[in-house]
Amino acid sequence: MKLLIVDDSSIIRSRIARILSDSRLPAIQIVGMARTGTEAVALFQQHTPDLVTMDLTMPEMDGVESTEAMITLKPDSNILIISALSDKATAIKALKKGAKGFLYKPFNDEQLIHALLEIME
Amino acid sequence: MAADVTALSDIDEREIQVFVEAVSRYFSQITGQKAEIRAAFLTNNERALPVFEFTGMIKISGDYYGAIYFSTDRFLLSRLLQIMNEPRHGEEHLLDAVGEIANTLAGNARQHFGEMMEVSVPLTMDGKESKNLKGLRDRPYVIMVRWKQYEASVIIDIKRKK
């Protein structure tokens, strides 16, 4: 399963990668990491990942716009939003744009794995 | 927690509590250990804001304006990175970490303030840049935090638009 990790924090990108590599999830191959929405969409087109973890607050293009762009390219994309933005309206907006799930920051290892498993099912 | 909120005309005690809960949740979730809220008070903007070696700032716009800060020293940030199994502890990564914490606290506060409190991407500063940082409000609100033996501050310097 090909995964694209999108977050403007390199600490968060590496943390997600590390949690998944240490987990018992089915083999996940990280095909790219992006720090902006623009980079994310470019990597998405290049690698067509099965799964995307998507931050919302990012420079250049935010996570909602990137989600919309990815869904346009591949309507059945599995996108998990991982964001600190904890208001209901933002979660609803992201889900309406086609995201499959929403995980709030701060998150722990189990919460990330659980959220990804739900999407993969 | 001793909090003087009488001078807060536009941000009330319940709203300050949102940030107290956000910072507590952050440390509990990431480290499994609660942070202690040592004090919460209104500072005087004639003095520089109480910041440490590294500061993350989130600019606020929309129905509110101003900024939210999280500030601490390299020892707390390094310890957090260690807990996250992050091997990189250079200046760049400490700034990244302090910005991400500020981002998380401000983002979590939207549960109460709603989507019309728009948050920027994190801006980060080291000690020299933040030394003479001044607030927007006459009296920005400060929450002093202790986690293990480390100190940090959360500064809420926002105003509601009329």
Side-chain angles (χ1 to χ4, degrees):
Chain A
M1 184 164 283
K2 294 187 290 181
L3 170 70
L4 173 63
I5 299 173
V6 186
D7 200 296
D8 61 343
S9 163
S10 83
I11 302 289
I12 297 294
R13 293 195 300 271
S14 334
R15 180 162 177 242
I16 292 171
R18 238 184 338 269
I19 292 171
L20 297 183
S21 71
D22 294 345
S23 76
R24 291 183 196 163
L25 287 176
I28 286 182
Q29 180 201 357
I30 296 165
V31 292
M33 295 201 200
R35 61 169 289 277
T36 69
T38 314
E39 276 179 27
V41 174
L43 286 170
F44 185 89
Q45 284 178 299
Q46 193 182 335
H47 298 288
T48 54
D50 305 297
L51 201 54
V52 179
T53 66
M54 176 74 76
D55 187 14
L56 288 182
T57 312
M58 293 184 291
E60 294 173 25
M61 181 193 269
D62 70 25
V64 172
E65 291 170 302
S66 312
T67 296
E68 193 172 18
M70 288 175 187
I71 293 293
T72 304
L73 291 165
K74 190 179 170 219
D76 60 347
S77 297
N78 291 313
I79 301 174
L80 173 67
I81 305 290
I82 302 181
S83 172
L85 299 180
S86 304
D87 56 290
K88 272 186 192 163
T90 298
I92 290 167
K93 195 187 291 176
L95 295 171
K96 276 187 176 169
K97 295 291 182 190
K100 296 268 168 49
F102 202 109
L103 175 64
Y104 292 113
K105 292 178 182 175
F107 59 88
N108 61 32
D109 299 14
E110 292 73 28
Q111 288 165 334
L112 173 64
I113 291 165
H114 180 74
L116 283 171
L117 278 173
E118 281 206 336
I119 281 192
M120 286 154 71
E121 280 168 10
Chain B
M1 182 180 76
D4 169 14
V5 293
T6 51
L8 281 171
S9 57
D10 49 351
I11 302 288
D12 64 27
E13 190 171 11
R14 198 163 54 97
E15 290 170 334
I16 296 302
Q17 188 62 26
V18 169
F19 292 94
V20 170
E21 284 165 13
V23 74
S24 300
R25 184 167 50 243
Y26 184 88
F27 282 94
S28 295
Q29 190 77 284
I30 299 294
T31 73
Q33 288 175 301
K34 282 186 177 175
E36 176 195 350
I37 306 301
R38 281 209 305 108
F41 56 89
L42 288 158
T43 188
N44 186 335
N45 201 27
E46 286 171 9
R47 287 173 293 190
L49 294 172
V51 294
F52 296 82
E53 193 179 359
F54 294 95
T55 301
M57 174 174 82
I58 304 297
K59 285 188 179 172
I60 302 298
S61 56
D63 283 355
Y64 297 81
Y65 63 105
I68 292 162
Y69 304 85
F70 177 80
S71 186
T72 190
D73 60 29
R74 67 178 59 237
F75 304 108
L76 183 146
L77 295 169
S78 289
R79 186 73 188 105
L80 279 179
L81 292 178
Q82 204 177 6
I83 287 169
M84 289 187 233
N85 294 322
E86 170 59 60
R88 301 168 301 168
H89 293 196
E91 187 110 347
E92 177 192 341
H93 303 103
L94 300 180
L95 285 167
D96 187 339
V98 83
E100 182 59 23
I101 299 171
N103 172 61
T104 303
L105 302 182
N108 286 178
R110 292 218 324 191
Q111 188 173 11
H112 174 83
F113 291 93
E115 64 174 330
M116 293 316 290
M117 186 184 90
E118 292 170 19
V119 301
S120 73
V121 294
L123 301 167
T124 55
M125 293 166 265
D126 65 14
K128 283 177 198 164
E129 291 169 285
S130 58
K131 200 175 169 188
N132 295 310
L133 204 58
K134 287 289 180 82
L136 168 81
R137 296 171 56 91
D138 292 337
R139 303 193 69 193
Y141 205 91
V142 178
I143 301 168
M144 296 303 297
V145 180
R146 179 181 288 151
W147 174 72
K148 291 175 168 282
Q149 69 270 42
Y150 311 110
E151 302 282 342
S153 59
V154 179
I155 300 163
I156 301 133
D157 186 30
I158 57 174
K159 284 185 174 185
R160 189 176 279 121
K161 279 185 184 162
K162 303 271 185 221

